[in-house]
Amino acid sequence: MLTVAHIFHSTPQDNSAVVAVMSNVISQLKVIMPELKTVYYRKDSAGCDHCSFTMVCTIILGLQ
């Protein structure tokens, strides 16, 4: 298990921020563990991760 924390001083908590953090985490994990095939996300039921933009981006990030 690995936990990655992102701390922001000030940023809107919207779907763009969620996708940016997800992309950064996947990039870091690929460097640390190049053999990684599966990533699981745990969400806190915030409204910003319930839109189609976030879901589509999640699929695209998984294909990279």
Side-chain angles (χ1 to χ4, degrees):
M1 179 187 299
L2 176 67
T3 302
V4 179
H6 287 77
I7 301 171
F8 299 96
H9 293 286
S10 176
T11 189
Q13 295 182 8
D14 58 6
N15 55 0
S16 296
V18 171
V19 171
V21 169
M22 290 168 57
S23 176
N24 179 262
V25 169
I26 290 173
S27 296
Q28 289 184 42
L29 291 175
K30 285 183 178 181
V31 170
I32 297 168
M33 300 176 279
E35 70 283 354
L36 183 69
K37 300 290 181 203
T38 305
V39 176
Y40 295 94
Y41 291 99
R42 181 176 180 191
K43 63 185 188 70
D44 62 0
S45 297
C48 60
D49 57 1
H50 289 284
C51 71
S52 58
F53 174 79
T54 305
M55 292 180 166
V56 169
C57 288
T58 302
I59 294 166
I60 292 170
L61 289 172
L63 298 175
Q64 295 179 358

